[in-house]
Amino acid sequence: MPHVHFFLNPKGGTGKSLFSYIFAQYLMSKTIKTQCIDCDPITPTLVKYKALDVIYMNIMDGNDIQKTKFDDFPQIFMVPQEDCHFVVDNGTSSYVALSDYLISQDFVSVLKELDFDVTFHVIIVGGDNMDETINGLSDIITRFGDKAHIVLWFNPFFGKIEKNGVIFEKSPLFKRYEENLYAIIRFPDFPKDTFGISFAKLQKDRLCFSQVCDVKPAPAGYDIMTVHRIKMIREKLFSMFDAVRII
């Protein structure tokens, strides 16, 4: 069955593009036909990874977001001749426009009628922005919880996901949301002084795992230990996805 994955969050800098980039590679590693779409009108990131062959959707009309440009989604989704997973990276600046469009046009129902499965991927971070990202989760569950799968990603990059010493997963608020969640992905807190540096280099160079890990010789600037750490990151993440049976 074809499947659309929307990565949404009203807060910027939470990892939407990063997790879209990783998840798309995971799908491809399973030989699943995958099409990425970047509709971030201000800071498009996913489209910069040439190996992912990303479609860029321009949703702007001058300086304004034109919601009718989201009408292009069905045409894009119907092009592949086989079951395909679509990974949609949406920018923070267009979060309200896209979510309003999906609700007002009953777009998830349109996809269901076309025999598509739909998943919304939501990210919660630690630190000062935790409350805002939790509010984003609440908003998406309210809007789409009865219409699609909700996958929750925990991103510990900015700190522990806890408040007043209470881990979010142990809080009454989380218990209220838990029944609406299809899966939970706890992104590893890789050591920043070794794994973090290697992974950041991969992203800065706009390369995918396979372009470094599965070629010999490795690209210039990727020594033996850098490649080894990137392989370990890929193995850890992909094994984690396998364990939660995200697809």
Side-chain angles (χ1 to χ4, degrees):
M1 174 182 288
H3 199 138
V4 181
H5 301 268
F6 290 103
F7 281 77
L8 293 177
N9 201 297
K11 177 63 184 174
T14 59
K16 289 187 300 296
S17 295
L18 171 63
F19 294 159
S20 300
Y21 153 78
I22 294 170
F23 184 62
Q25 292 179 77
Y26 172 71
L27 293 173
M28 292 174 179
S29 76
K30 298 296 185 182
T31 66
I32 294 172
K33 184 173 179 59
T34 305
Q35 177 63 65
C36 297
I37 302 167
D38 191 336
C39 56
D40 187 332
I42 306 300
T43 55
T45 300
L46 198 61
V47 71
K48 295 177 181 178
Y49 292 93
K50 301 302 181 184
L52 295 180
D53 193 23
V54 180
I55 293 173
Y56 180 67
M57 178 185 286
N58 182 9
I59 60 172
M60 300 297 290
D61 184 4
N63 294 323
D64 299 318
I65 295 173
Q66 177 53 259
K67 287 184 183 179
T68 57
K69 294 203 173 186
F70 291 127
D71 290 346
D72 289 344
F73 274 135
Q75 283 68 39
I76 295 173
F77 295 158
M78 295 304 291
V79 168
Q81 299 300 309
E82 57 186 285
D83 289 352
C84 181
H85 283 239
F86 298 86
V87 178
V88 181
D89 181 21
N90 181 64
T92 300
S93 59
S94 54
Y95 169 80
V96 173
L98 178 55
S99 57
D100 285 351
Y101 175 88
L102 296 176
I103 289 293
S104 65
Q105 308 301 304
D106 197 16
F107 190 71
V108 174
S109 294
V110 172
L111 292 177
K112 295 285 189 177
E113 289 174 5
L114 294 171
D115 292 327
F116 280 75
D117 207 351
V118 181
T119 297
F120 290 89
H121 296 255
V122 190
I123 302 159
I124 289 181
V125 301
D128 294 340
N129 293 318
M130 189 178 89
D131 286 345
E132 194 169 347
T133 54
I134 290 173
N135 290 339
L137 171 65
S138 177
D139 184 54
I140 290 171
I141 287 177
T142 299
R143 290 171 178 259
F144 307 110
D146 61 342
K147 300 178 176 65
H149 302 306
I150 307 289
V151 172
L152 176 60
W153 297 64
F154 287 123
N155 182 0
F157 184 82
F158 300 102
K160 293 181 179 180
I161 302 173
E162 63 179 28
K163 190 170 184 178
N164 299 323
V166 178
I167 298 172
F168 176 63
E169 286 185 81
K170 301 293 185 180
S171 70
L173 188 58
F174 174 78
K175 298 302 180 184
R176 196 165 73 205
Y177 297 145
E178 190 172 15
E179 65 180 15
N180 298 108
L181 302 177
Y182 179 73
I184 299 173
I185 298 173
R186 299 168 181 86
F187 198 78
D189 190 14
F190 294 108
K192 294 178 176 59
D193 57 350
T194 49
F195 289 87
I197 291 172
S198 298
F199 198 23
K201 176 176 176 55
L202 185 73
Q203 296 166 66
K204 181 181 178 181
D205 293 341
R206 304 304 185 193
L207 295 176
C208 294
F209 290 124
S210 62
Q211 292 176 284
V212 171
C213 300
D214 302 336
V215 297
K216 291 184 179 181
Y222 289 83
D223 59 31
I224 290 174
M225 290 309 299
T226 297
V227 173
H228 177 64
R229 283 191 290 269
I230 292 171
K231 284 182 177 180
M232 290 179 68
I233 291 170
R234 178 175 65 173
E235 181 179 355
K236 175 77 171 179
L237 294 175
F238 287 9
S239 296
M240 180 177 64
F241 296 153
D242 285 340
V244 299
R245 299 181 180 180
I246 195 171
I247 55 172

